[in-house]
Amino acid sequence: MADAEEPEKKRRRFEDLTEKMAVDSGHRDSGCDWEGRWNHVKKFLERPGPFTHPDFEPSTESLQFLLETCKILVIGAGGLGCELLKNLALSGFRLIHVVDMDTIDVSNLNRQFLFRPKDVGRPKAHVAADFINSRIAGCKVVPHFKKIQDFNDSFYRQFHIIVCGLDSIIARRWINGMLISLLSYDEGVLDPSSIIPLIDGGTEGFKGNARVILPGMTACIDCTLELYPPQINFPMCTIASMPRLPEHCIEYVRILQWPKDGPFGDTSLDGDNPEHIQWVFERSQERAAEFSITGVTYRLTQGVVKRIIPAVASTNAVIAAACATEVFKIATSAYIPLNNYLVFNDVDGLYTYTFEAERKENCTACSQVPQDLQFPPSAKLQEVLEYLTETASLQMKSPAITTTLEGKNKTLYLQSVKSIEERTRPNLCKTLKELGLSDGQEIAVADVTTPQTVLFKLNFTA
Amino acid sequence: MAAATKGSKEQKYDRQLRLWGDHGQETLENAHVCLINATATGTEILKNLVLPGIGAFTIVDGHTVAGEDVGNKLTFLLQNRAQAATELLQELNSDVSGNFVEESPDKLLDNDPEFFHRFTIVIGVQLPESTCLRLGSVLWTASVPFLVCKTYGLLGYMRLVVQEHTVIESHPDNALEDLRLDQPFDEFKNHINSYDLTSMEKKDHSHTPWIIIVAKYLERWYLWTSGLLQLIAVEDLFNSEQCSNITVQSSSFWMMLRAVKEFVYNEGNGSLPVRGTIPDMIADSQKFINLQNVYREKSLQDAAAVSKHVERLLQSVGKPVESISEKDIKLFCKNAAFLRVVRCRSLAEEYHVDSINKDEITSCMESPDSEMVFYLMIRAVDRFYQLHSRYPGVYNYQVEEDISKLKLCVNSLLQEYSLNVNIKDDYIHEFCRYGAAEPHTVSAFLGGSAAQEAIKIISHQFVPFNNTFIYNAMSQTSATFQL
């Protein structure tokens, strides 16, 4: 954690942060700052205090740094994102970029307050940026109606701090991997100026969490992958022949009946299409009636098909607030940042728990240690594939496995491109020996969960 | 309500309806919330109530918008703060009606204290101590829930003041199932006996619900625990005065509770009404549904028996039998093991020298990291305001000189209440440093927290805190105290 570093390095990092963005440094926008505008913020930047970060030095320049230089990336302009943008803008941050690949839906309006009914259908990033820029004088939010994967390292490198309000673990792992790939090591020692802090927030109903990640220094997303509960998927035998709950009936229609009946031509089931949901709802009711199961409703149907997670404004407000507080602390060194994980739950009273998540020694993402793959030479490639997808610490989605044989790059198995999948599928039944792999062989695995390939070392067991 | 609007409301509120249901939403839409002081904290709280669709709000605020007010919230300059906030908040949800009163709460308390009686809940933000206590007393007598909120520098403070708040649907995170394996009722026993595990084929075995299998073995092994655990939670409520003394004033909660108590000591043979639901488990559909129906039918039977008791009680106090619906009784029975009653002490009790919770304060202060020190500092700062008509350290030149003044307030506070605790000078310095700042992110944290507590009070779902909550943004920690 930050305060474990030597004072010299810490001071250098703060200076690096201030010098980082040369582009806008000459631009003074003090014209839009009326008397007293930043009073609430200044008290924390211009006054000494007993609980400040050891690095903190009161000055009038910190406010200028926030207003003119500090560049923040907000990932997601949904429940957390809207709150984050507001929080950052009202805390003095002006150079903000926001990335979101979604458009606005009616069901967002109960909490994503930068949007109005007339905005339904428009890109979230654009509408959010417009709102903030027009209501908070001086703020310049730059929107990107894109996926995070559409950007490369040069895009991410420009930011001082990145804060996420994502709704998928895959995306979190991806940005986590990206920031780790930006780290540079000087003779094995991490260069602190290559660290971009990542603040990550997540909510679900009345529960939420906020965490501070200093890539290469503190626990990363993958270090604590086991903290994320696995997604509920009902066993196929239950869905196909032994339904007991209304959810089983709905899954039957979604997974088995829809492809079979092809109700709207060849289109795949679209959870946002009310006609599709209505069809699934009616068929689910029929299935439920067959088995005397009650409880199939339209709302349940939609919830199951879209894997809807309940959400309210309050939880998002709390978690985004905690995240923004950390962004402020890190940007200004005003206080020691959260170290490093906060859990929140307000079902019964208000409960918070703060702890230090530990780094995993052999973390696939941040440990820099090539991962060990232990298999007998007689093991089939299929077993390796299963290991990559099923192990709790890896949880890959559709890994592409490649290696170097006889000096040439060889794809052992790749699922995402149909023609290559067909060509390499027979390899799954071959043994590692048959495939020409030897003890100590390096295997490279690519997957959606990480922007960089993960290197494994094959270790033949008896 | 027109079908079109109802449909679009359902769509808009879909994500939250999955948490508190249509009936919960209805309570929100019938609520009228009063916010006193549209500061950053106040507007954040109200935003998080307007978005989910409360029926109406009224902002009471005598201040005009200052430069720094526009710095830490979304609002407009040169307007009465109440009006500016109302306009902005209205934009967020056209289903909500907003009103404002350009008046200080003290004036209203002087001239028209009954003004506050119309509200479902009153939320007072950044109130000086004297106003807070005055208002607290009026609302206590009128049985209007009062939520006090304050953002002070990097601290957030909330105090809930409600005499008695009943919760039927507490939605516990980890609820024990109600399987009655320890004391199987007759219909369940018969159902178990209809299975002969020894004559089954392997496939049928593996499709037999585990409840049946465990029940078979438990027939030889009597288990007490799960039955008792259930009852203990509710026992306290059974023994309370409101339950023993049913009058025409008794709320439907206490009526139904008394009816359940009667059931427990009669038809229930010491147990609560059967809940009626079982967890999913690997089993073939028929076996599972049949088993589920055994529990479901028993729960209907038990609810009917409770209903009879409810009828009797209503008649005994001269109320019509229709006063409490079958639907409500069924919901009550289903949640019988999870009922909660929250009773907060009044502000008068908290502040009075004879009734202050000394034990809680002193024992917490024994841990160096306890948030209790911030509660005492907030009280000290209130005292400072009372004495000097301003908060410490607002202007830079005041910071140093106010430290000793604030220290005097701290000492007089501790002395007055005979609190033998030590508060380090660092905290006094820090609170002068804050200069009564209301930074946006701390306001926003409190905004979310307070709004949800208000929703709990309005909807009577989920359990509110009791009664003091402190949030420390420096360490990202929090604590709840019962003061």
Side-chain angles (χ1 to χ4, degrees):
Chain A
M1 213 26 241
D3 51 322
E5 283 183 86
E6 299 154 58
E8 231 316 281
K9 277 190 178 159
K10 285 184 280 185
R11 202 155 288 132
R12 210 194 320 146
R13 183 151 53 85
F14 179 73
E15 282 162 329
D16 287 344
L17 284 175
T18 22
E19 284 167 48
K20 208 165 182 180
M21 266 318 300
V23 182
D24 286 354
S25 59
H27 181 67
R28 268 194 174 265
D29 216 348
S30 53
C32 61
D33 282 340
W34 50 87
E35 179 68 35
R37 182 177 188 186
W38 300 114
N39 278 354
H40 297 280
V41 174
K42 283 160 89 166
K43 283 165 184 163
F44 297 98
L45 301 180
E46 297 174 4
R47 296 177 173 189
F51 299 122
T52 57
H53 194 293
D55 274 355
F56 176 72
E57 274 160 32
S59 90
T60 48
E61 276 154 32
S62 314
L63 180 60
Q64 294 316 308
F65 170 70
L66 288 188
L67 295 172
E68 297 163 16
T69 313
C70 189
K71 220 164 175 183
I72 309 287
L73 173 64
V74 175
I75 302 183
L80 285 170
C82 287
E83 292 280 338
L84 283 168
L85 288 170
K86 159 189 69 77
N87 292 342
L88 294 171
L90 291 175
S91 299
F93 296 94
R94 284 187 166 156
L95 304 172
I96 306 171
H97 284 238
V98 62
V99 176
D100 194 307
M101 63 187 203
D102 265 336
T103 54
I104 299 163
D105 180 70
V106 173
S107 66
N108 298 148
L109 302 177
N110 79 328
R111 64 203 182 279
Q112 298 172 26
F113 67 98
L114 301 179
F115 312 141
R116 300 285 173 267
K118 63 171 169 57
D119 298 319
V120 172
R122 288 184 59 202
K124 290 189 181 185
H126 288 291
V127 180
D130 284 345
F131 188 105
I132 299 285
N133 293 338
S134 60
R135 307 286 193 126
I136 302 180
C139 202
K140 290 180 277 285
V141 179
V142 177
H144 302 277
F145 177 35
K146 291 220 155 87
K147 302 197 300 287
I148 48 174
Q149 293 87 350
D150 291 337
F151 298 102
N152 61 19
D153 54 287
S154 62
F155 174 77
Y156 292 105
R157 233 184 268 277
Q158 65 180 302
F159 299 103
H160 291 95
I161 301 169
I162 297 179
V163 57
C164 298
L166 286 164
D167 60 359
S168 101
I169 297 171
I170 293 177
R172 281 185 174 88
R173 293 177 73 183
W174 193 91
I175 185 67
N176 181 63
M178 167 54 74
L179 296 187
I180 289 168
S181 75
L182 299 181
L183 298 173
S184 65
Y185 292 82
D186 208 350
E187 281 159 27
V189 177
L190 178 58
D191 173 13
S193 69
S194 66
I195 300 173
I196 298 178
L198 175 66
I199 320 286
D200 178 62
T203 63
E204 203 174 290
F206 296 118
K207 303 183 183 159
N209 61 72
R211 60 192 300 186
V212 171
I213 295 171
L214 299 179
M217 288 182 63
T218 64
C220 78
I221 300 281
D222 282 51
C223 289
T224 57
L225 207 51
E226 288 98 349
L227 280 182
Y228 294 105
Q231 211 183 24
I232 297 173
N233 280 315
F234 305 115
M236 202 36 107
C237 56
T238 297
I239 295 174
S241 48
M242 288 189 310
R244 300 171 297 272
L245 301 179
E247 287 87 339
H248 301 158
C249 303
I250 298 165
E251 286 288 77
Y252 172 83
V253 176
R254 179 181 76 88
I255 297 170
L256 298 169
Q257 200 171 342
W258 178 285
K260 196 163 64 106
D261 291 4
F264 296 88
D266 234 338
T267 45
S268 46
L269 175 50
D270 176 7
D272 291 317
N273 185 330
E275 279 182 11
H276 288 201
I277 298 292
Q278 183 66 25
W279 188 89
V280 174
F281 170 49
E282 286 165 11
R283 303 289 87 70
S284 303
Q285 281 180 310
E286 285 161 18
R287 173 125 175 117
E290 261 183 68
F291 291 88
S292 309
I293 297 172
T294 57
V296 175
T297 61
Y298 185 91
R299 187 178 288 163
L300 184 69
T301 305
Q302 204 181 28
V304 171
V305 170
K306 292 180 69 172
R307 296 282 194 266
I308 290 177
I309 294 174
V312 278
S314 59
T315 321
N316 283 301
V318 167
I319 295 299
C323 288
T325 295
E326 293 308 308
V327 174
F328 182 83
K329 284 181 192 171
I330 291 173
T332 62
S333 285
Y335 288 87
I336 295 173
L338 167 67
N339 182 19
N340 53 44
Y341 205 115
L342 165 71
V343 166
F344 174 85
N345 183 342
D346 65 356
V347 166
D348 187 342
L350 300 114
Y351 169 78
T352 65
Y353 178 59
T354 311
F355 67 100
E356 183 179 345
E358 289 181 353
R359 282 188 83 179
K360 214 156 155 220
E361 260 183 63
N362 57 345
C363 174
T364 39
C366 75
S367 70
Q368 287 204 293
V369 170
Q371 302 297 306
D372 210 28
L373 269 184
Q374 294 205 359
F375 286 95
S378 57
K380 304 216 169 77
L381 186 63
Q382 175 72 39
E383 291 172 53
V384 176
L385 186 69
E386 278 164 14
Y387 174 79
L388 294 171
T389 52
E390 283 160 30
T391 308
S393 58
L394 292 173
Q395 291 185 51
M396 293 193 167
K397 298 298 160 197
S398 56
I401 311 171
T402 58
T403 190
T404 310
L405 281 175
E406 287 155 21
K408 281 194 279 197
N409 195 0
K410 181 173 177 174
T411 304
L412 295 172
Y413 183 68
L414 192 149
Q415 209 172 332
S416 48
V417 179
K418 200 161 173 214
S419 56
I420 305 180
E421 199 279 326
E422 281 171 11
R423 181 170 57 78
T424 57
R425 201 186 306 156
N427 288 342
L428 291 175
C429 304
K430 296 196 182 146
T431 66
L432 303 179
K433 190 166 176 213
E434 280 169 351
L435 290 168
L437 305 175
S438 45
D439 191 30
Q441 178 119 18
E442 257 192 13
I443 312 262
V445 181
D447 187 56
V448 286
T449 51
T450 163
Q452 282 197 304
T453 42
V454 183
L455 281 177
F456 290 86
K457 207 162 186 179
L458 194 52
N459 215 320
F460 276 164
T461 57
Chain B
M1 184 187 340
T5 33
K6 187 169 194 279
S8 64
K9 256 199 198 178
E10 267 209 54
Q11 277 186 296
K12 177 165 76 170
Y13 298 136
D14 180 84
R15 300 300 185 266
Q16 68 201 40
L17 293 174
R18 289 167 193 277
L19 291 167
W20 52 65
D22 297 309
H23 60 298
Q25 186 64 29
E26 207 182 311
T27 62
L28 288 186
E29 293 178 13
N30 290 331
H32 189 171
V33 175
C34 175
L35 170 74
I36 305 176
N37 286 332
T39 66
T41 307
T43 46
E44 281 296 309
I45 297 171
L46 211 43
K47 154 182 142 287
N48 297 324
L49 288 171
V50 165
L51 286 169
I54 50 167
F57 67 84
T58 296
I59 299 179
V60 170
D61 195 336
H63 302 87
T64 42
V65 179
E68 63 179 31
D69 283 325
V70 190
N72 66 353
K73 74 171 99 49
L74 299 168
T75 185
F76 314 106
L77 261 173
L78 301 177
Q79 269 185 302
N80 165 261
R81 223 163 57 168
Q83 181 176 9
T86 302
E87 285 173 15
L88 190 78
L89 289 162
Q90 284 259 231
E91 255 196 69
L92 297 179
N93 192 343
S94 53
D95 297 333
V96 179
S97 61
N99 316 283
F100 62 91
V101 174
E102 289 178 42
E103 191 62 270
S104 78
D106 278 303
K107 271 273 165 57
L108 283 170
L109 285 167
D110 289 336
N111 303 327
D112 180 22
E114 291 188 11
F115 166 82
F116 295 103
H117 291 194
R118 78 195 69 183
F119 300 111
T120 321
I121 180 171
V122 172
I123 304 174
V125 169
Q126 315 294 84
L127 291 174
E129 185 178 305
S130 55
T131 315
C132 203
L133 292 172
R134 280 184 78 192
L135 191 51
S137 160
V138 165
L139 296 175
W140 183 266
T141 317
S143 292
V144 174
F146 183 27
L147 183 59
V148 180
C149 300
K150 188 172 279 197
T151 296
Y152 204 91
L154 292 175
L155 275 320
Y157 163 86
M158 285 202 297
R159 169 63 153 102
L160 178 65
V161 192
V162 60
Q163 275 186 54
E164 179 190 282
H165 177 80
T166 58
V167 183
I168 298 170
E169 294 176 274
S170 58
H171 302 284
D173 258 336
N174 297 301
L176 288 173
E177 297 285 346
D178 184 20
L179 303 175
R180 299 304 161 106
L181 287 166
D182 57 321
Q183 286 184 310
F185 46 90
D186 290 339
E187 295 86 341
F188 183 35
K189 270 196 212 138
N190 295 341
H191 187 75
I192 297 166
N193 290 336
S194 71
Y195 281 88
D196 181 4
L197 295 178
T198 53
S199 72
M200 277 175 147
E201 299 217 352
K202 190 172 178 199
K203 182 179 165 216
D204 286 330
H205 246 277
S206 63
H207 287 166
T208 298
W210 66 258
I211 292 179
I212 304 287
I213 298 174
V214 172
K216 285 273 191 197
Y217 284 89
L218 274 176
E219 268 174 345
R220 310 167 199 177
W221 192 343
Y222 194 50
L223 236 179
W224 276 108
T225 40
S226 60
L228 268 180
L229 260 174
Q230 228 189 134
L231 205 50
I232 284 163
V234 193
E235 201 113 50
D236 278 339
L237 294 182
F238 283 172
N239 294 331
S240 68
E241 216 250 303
Q242 290 91 329
C243 182
S244 313
N245 234 353
I246 297 294
T247 69
V248 71
Q249 322 277 30
S250 300
S251 67
S252 47
F253 178 90
W254 292 110
M255 289 260 188
M256 288 191 281
L257 185 74
R258 174 61 176 274
V260 168
K261 180 181 180 179
E262 303 290 334
F263 170 88
V264 168
Y265 291 141
N266 293 292
E267 301 95 329
N269 290 316
S271 296
L272 291 170
V274 165
R275 197 176 311 157
T277 52
I278 58 173
D280 189 31
M281 60 196 73
I282 297 292
D284 80 51
S285 311
Q286 202 55 60
K287 291 192 177 68
F288 180 83
I289 301 294
N290 289 344
L291 179 62
Q292 192 180 54
N293 283 337
V294 169
Y295 285 92
R296 190 176 285 175
E297 269 145 38
K298 182 70 164 107
S299 80
L300 290 174
Q301 248 185 60
D302 286 355
V306 170
S307 238
K308 287 256 147 30
H309 288 288
V310 172
E311 254 182 59
R312 222 185 7 89
L313 286 164
L314 284 169
Q315 278 166 351
S316 76
V317 296
K319 275 180 126 173
V321 152
E322 301 78 43
S323 315
I324 298 176
S325 70
E326 285 299 317
K327 196 164 158 216
D328 286 343
I329 296 171
K330 282 201 184 116
L331 187 67
F332 195 88
C333 288
K334 193 165 159 218
N335 285 280
F338 312 128
L339 307 171
R340 299 280 293 274
V341 178
V342 173
R343 292 186 184 99
C344 304
R345 297 210 313 160
S346 68
L347 288 175
E349 285 177 274
E350 176 188 341
Y351 280 65
H352 198 280
V353 130
D354 293 336
S355 48
I356 183 176
N357 194 345
K358 267 181 83 166
D359 287 342
E360 176 82 340
I361 296 174
T362 38
S363 66
C364 286
M365 285 301 284
E366 277 163 25
S367 333
D369 292 325
S370 173
E371 277 75 15
M372 184 58 83
V373 65
F374 298 116
Y375 166 73
L376 293 173
M377 283 311 304
I378 287 171
R379 290 286 305 264
V381 150
D382 276 343
R383 206 158 261 245
F384 187 103
Y385 184 84
Q386 263 184 306
L387 214 53
H388 304 282
S389 299
R390 64 177 178 85
Y391 287 105
V394 173
Y395 296 101
N396 284 344
Y397 75 87
Q398 292 172 329
V399 181
E400 274 306 314
E401 51 185 68
D402 281 349
I403 291 174
S404 48
K405 291 197 180 89
L406 182 56
K407 187 157 189 177
L408 286 174
C409 293
V410 169
N411 291 336
S412 86
L413 176 77
L414 298 180
Q415 233 176 19
E416 183 180 320
Y417 289 105
S418 314
L419 288 168
N420 192 8
V421 300
N422 180 42
I423 296 182
K424 294 201 285 228
D425 282 347
D426 278 347
Y427 292 106
I428 299 171
H429 181 182
E430 183 75 354
F431 269 69
C432 283
R433 178 185 188 238
Y434 287 157
E438 198 182 351
H440 184 81
T441 59
V442 186
S443 306
F445 190 103
L446 213 57
S449 306
Q452 190 50 35
E453 295 311 300
I455 289 173
K456 290 176 185 176
I457 296 291
I458 295 168
S459 67
H460 287 266
Q461 292 189 39
F462 307 96
V463 185
F465 72 110
N466 185 3
N467 57 36
T468 300
F469 174 77
I470 306 264
Y471 165 64
N472 178 356
M474 293 186 281
S475 57
Q476 298 283 23
T477 55
S478 74
T480 301
F481 305 117
Q482 206 166 346
L483 298 176

